[in-house]
Amino acid sequence: MKTLLAKFLRRRAAAGAAGIVVEGAGKSTGGKARNRVVMTMAVFLSIYCAIAGRLVYLGTQEPDDSGPPGARITAARPDILDRNGEVLATDIKTASLFAEPRRIVDADEATEKLASVLPDLDYEQTYRKLKSGTGFVWLRRQLSPKQQSDIMKLGIPGIGFRTENRRFYPGGETASHILGLVNIDNQGIAGMEKYIDEQGLADLQATGLATAKDLEPVKLSIDLRVQYIVRDEIAQGMERYHAIAAGAVVLNIKTGEVLAMASVPDFDPNNPYNANDKDRLNRMSAGLYEMGSTFKSFTTAMALDSGKVTLDSRFDAMRPITIGRQTIHDFHGKNRVLSVPEVFIYSSNIGSAREAEVVGIDGHREFLHRLGVLERMQTELPEVAKPTEPRVWKQVNSITIAFGHGVSTTPLQTAVGCAALMNGYLIEPTFLPRTQEQAMAVAKKVVKDSTVEGLRYLYKLNAEKGSGRRALVPGYRVGGKTGTAEKVVNGRYSNDTRFNAFVAAFPMDDPQYIVLSIVDEPKPEKPGMGATAGSNAAPIVANIIRRSAAMLGVKPDFGHEDKPTLVAYP
């Protein structure tokens, strides 16, 4: 526009000058031409000054929420789908109630009528809003159809409705900790909903460009069928074992995709009134725990990978280890020299401590960091806790960490680390679809192939002859490791307060999936029964595998379990 104005002024000036030459009328004619040019310039200059002043004024004002209802548009969000196209989250239309206080005749009567339909309405606050004299105020967002109909029947002047977007989760609690939440304005505040906003949706919403027809659905790596099974099994397990919490994850070893993950107690994202309660924490990625004997997977792998230990190596577990004020015992001690496989299947604390001594303190710490177990996990989910470890590692730290005490990490990171032992490569977990080729492009080789072979053998052996027998599922060649950790109560380890875990891989000839379950503070299922990981966390894993293996693409082979057949996973 400024260029057009400049051209216009130049043409007028040229025309005036030409008139002077042609007419030759002297000072009178030339003066009139110059006056016309000056006046024209003054008019346009004043227009531009007025526009500039208005823009500066508007730029310094706060947004006005009292404008007409059409001036504020609830942001649209893309649908979230599982890997097979099933809807996990979508927008639905809902009515919200507003008022135009300037048109309210009797604020007291209007408030009283609204309270008859909305009994939980804050009477005093609503009355003050209706008496404010402003042009627009919200009274209640996201009404039900019945509430809207009943309010319309009241016939209150100055009251109206506006259609807004509301997030709806068809599965309710099923995948709540993965999907997360949105606020009243349909903006992501937790889980994958928040991640989607951080990828640019929030900017589109701010500029008014986030319209439903222009937003492509976001597909996750989650399989809704498997997700339902996982949540169902941990919910039953928490009740059966009288625990305060439980959780589980199914991870693709080859791609790092999370196929399912749940933690209970959880919440319904359609009515998240209790989502911020302390016990609704996503324990799988945001909870930090001493993972107990599942860490012996890392200790034995570390010893084998160092080249200083083989499966034929033997360690003295005849007597407890005393270091400083601490004495290390075995839960079910054999009181003899143990081979590496025996250390693993008998879950010997003493044997694991001896393995760590062979590697040394620095090598021990480096190995756990190499597997990502003590690093902050890199994934899409925002709710990820940072593991804790001693600021300075001493001998006693290395010994206790060898059997899973003295450091805290997340169950999901433990599963990822164990996947690396089954595959040889550390692949950061993802909640988005990823091919094996894409995974290998970002994978890091962390252990030798010989170490992978050794750990696969030990996992299988432990399921057949050790503490993982209750995790066996006929036809699917399951292997794994239990972990029963004493929890700290009032500054001391408690003998009867435990955090249990079981990590499994299957099928063991070429592991495709990791399944890890946790049970927090379990009690015996029945009087006289035990409450260790082998009696509660392991059966949960077995049930998940039994119900979901076919969906995951693993075909059972009851006649030749050594050679399970794999079919393509959708």
Side-chain angles (χ1 to χ4, degrees):
M1 184 178 293
K2 292 182 178 179
T3 304
L4 292 176
L5 175 59
K7 288 182 178 179
F8 173 77
L9 294 176
R10 283 198 297 271
R11 285 198 300 270
R12 292 300 301 267
I20 294 171
V21 173
V22 172
E23 294 173 8
K27 293 182 180 180
S28 176
T29 305
K32 291 180 180 180
R34 283 193 298 272
N35 289 338
R36 286 196 298 269
V37 172
V38 171
M39 290 179 63
T40 302
M41 292 177 65
V43 169
F44 277 97
L45 184 61
S46 62
I47 292 172
Y48 277 110
C49 288
I51 293 173
R54 182 62 174 169
L55 289 174
V56 170
Y57 170 77
L58 293 175
T60 59
Q61 300 305 300
E62 294 293 328
D64 184 7
D65 288 342
S66 65
R72 299 178 68 226
I73 301 174
T74 307
R77 301 186 64 80
D79 286 353
I80 300 179
L81 312 177
D82 87 331
R83 66 186 302 115
N84 300 314
E86 296 293 329
V87 176
L88 300 175
T90 189
D91 281 350
I92 60 174
K93 301 298 182 183
T94 185
S96 290
L97 178 67
F98 70 90
E100 298 174 84
R102 295 170 186 169
R103 296 181 54 208
I104 297 295
V105 177
D106 188 332
D108 191 58
E109 180 185 11
T111 305
E112 189 172 329
K113 287 183 176 181
L114 290 173
S116 67
V117 177
L118 305 172
D120 60 336
L121 192 71
D122 187 319
Y123 193 99
E124 293 297 328
Q125 183 185 65
T126 303
Y127 177 79
R128 287 196 299 271
K129 285 183 177 181
L130 296 181
K131 289 288 288 183
S132 65
T134 58
F136 172 87
V137 291
W138 284 116
L139 297 180
R140 175 65 61 86
R141 308 283 290 275
Q142 300 179 353
L143 298 171
S144 69
K146 185 178 186 306
Q147 289 172 329
Q148 181 185 14
S149 175
D150 291 346
I151 292 173
M152 289 179 67
K153 292 176 183 177
L154 298 175
I156 305 173
I159 297 293
F161 303 93
R162 187 187 133 197
T163 300
E164 292 192 291
N165 291 315
R166 178 178 181 178
R167 205 61 164 164
F168 176 63
Y169 303 88
E173 302 95 333
T174 303
S176 58
H177 280 123
I178 295 174
L179 296 173
L181 290 169
V182 298
N183 61 17
I184 194 71
D185 292 315
N186 222 26
Q187 297 167 333
I189 57 174
M192 292 303 290
E193 295 280 26
K194 182 177 181 181
Y195 168 79
I196 291 170
D197 278 24
E198 292 172 346
Q199 301 311 299
L201 178 61
D203 295 333
L204 290 175
Q205 291 173 336
T207 56
L209 299 177
T211 57
K213 61 184 178 64
D214 296 325
L215 297 175
E216 291 291 327
V218 176
K219 183 172 285 190
L220 304 186
S221 62
I222 302 304
D223 187 319
L224 183 57
R225 303 167 300 175
V226 182
Q227 179 69 28
Y228 173 81
I229 291 169
V230 167
R231 198 222 173 243
D232 183 53
E233 287 296 335
I234 63 173
Q236 290 187 49
M238 186 176 76
E239 182 177 356
R240 183 183 306 120
Y241 304 118
H242 317 289
I244 64 170
V249 61
V250 178
L251 181 73
N252 187 316
I253 293 174
K254 306 293 187 180
T255 66
E257 293 172 295
V258 177
L259 279 300
M261 187 181 76
S263 172
V264 290
D266 50 15
F267 58 91
D268 183 352
N270 295 308
N271 183 28
Y273 68 95
N274 58 353
N276 289 326
D277 290 356
K278 186 178 180 180
D279 66 338
R280 309 288 161 168
L281 170 75
N282 179 7
R283 287 168 167 78
M284 298 306 294
S285 66
L288 292 175
Y289 304 97
E290 294 184 340
M291 294 299 295
S293 293
T294 56
F295 252 56
K296 291 171 183 173
S297 300
F298 305 132
T299 304
T300 301
M302 171 185 69
L304 294 174
D305 206 63
S306 71
K308 300 176 181 179
V309 174
T310 69
L311 290 176
D312 296 324
S313 299
R314 303 171 73 81
F315 294 95
D316 183 2
M318 297 179 65
R319 289 173 294 277
I321 297 175
T322 300
I323 179 167
R325 298 181 179 180
Q326 298 194 39
T327 302
I328 310 302
H329 300 272
D330 280 344
F331 187 62
H332 293 297
K334 300 300 178 181
N335 302 314
R336 61 179 175 82
V337 174
L338 301 176
S339 66
V340 168
E342 288 176 324
V343 169
F344 198 80
I345 66 173
Y346 298 144
S347 200
S348 171
N349 294 338
I350 298 171
S352 297
R354 300 294 189 198
E355 291 176 339
E357 284 180 331
V358 170
V359 176
I361 298 173
D362 293 339
H364 193 177
R365 184 175 186 274
E366 185 277 329
F367 187 81
L368 292 180
H369 278 276
R370 190 197 314 168
L371 289 183
V373 178
L374 298 182
E375 301 286 347
R376 185 179 180 88
M377 184 168 51
Q378 300 300 312
T379 190
E380 298 85 11
L381 208 63
E383 295 79 25
V384 172
K386 183 179 180 180
T388 62
E389 61 176 309
R391 182 173 298 178
V392 177
W393 281 44
K394 299 180 180 179
Q395 185 66 31
V396 65
N397 302 123
S398 181
I399 287 176
T400 59
I401 291 169
F403 51 86
H405 285 77
V407 293
S408 297
T409 189
T410 69
L412 179 56
Q413 282 176 271
T414 305
V416 171
C418 291
L421 301 183
M422 295 294 107
N423 189 35
Y425 292 89
L426 176 63
I427 304 173
E428 293 287 0
T430 181
F431 291 84
L432 300 174
R434 180 196 280 163
T435 66
Q436 189 169 340
E437 292 73 22
Q438 291 170 334
M440 291 308 296
V442 297
K444 299 176 182 177
K445 184 72 171 176
V446 288
V447 293
K448 303 171 185 175
D449 291 342
S450 59
T451 304
V452 172
E453 292 177 9
L455 263 292
R456 289 181 180 181
Y457 167 75
L458 293 174
Y459 265 39
K460 178 186 175 185
L461 184 67
N462 191 55
E464 293 175 350
K465 299 183 178 181
S467 58
R469 288 188 292 270
R470 294 190 65 183
L472 284 175
V473 181
Y476 291 109
R477 296 254 346 257
V478 179
K481 184 72 185 78
T482 52
T484 303
E486 295 178 351
K487 293 183 68 174
V488 176
V489 178
N490 297 325
R492 301 175 65 90
Y493 284 105
S494 171
N495 293 328
D496 55 1
T497 306
R498 301 183 177 94
F499 180 85
N500 291 353
F502 187 81
V503 56
F506 78 102
M508 284 312 302
D509 67 319
D510 183 19
Q512 305 293 310
Y513 299 99
I514 287 284
V515 182
L516 182 145
S517 70
I518 62 170
V519 188
D520 197 357
E521 297 188 19
K523 305 295 186 297
E525 182 179 358
K526 296 177 182 178
M529 297 181 67
T532 59
S535 60
N536 43 59
I540 289 176
V541 167
N543 291 340
I544 290 172
I545 293 174
R546 185 179 295 109
R547 295 174 62 183
S548 67
M551 299 174 187
L552 292 170
V554 182
K555 185 178 179 180
D557 188 342
F558 298 100
H560 302 86
E561 290 193 24
D562 287 345
K563 296 180 180 180
T565 304
L566 298 180
V567 297
Y569 183 75

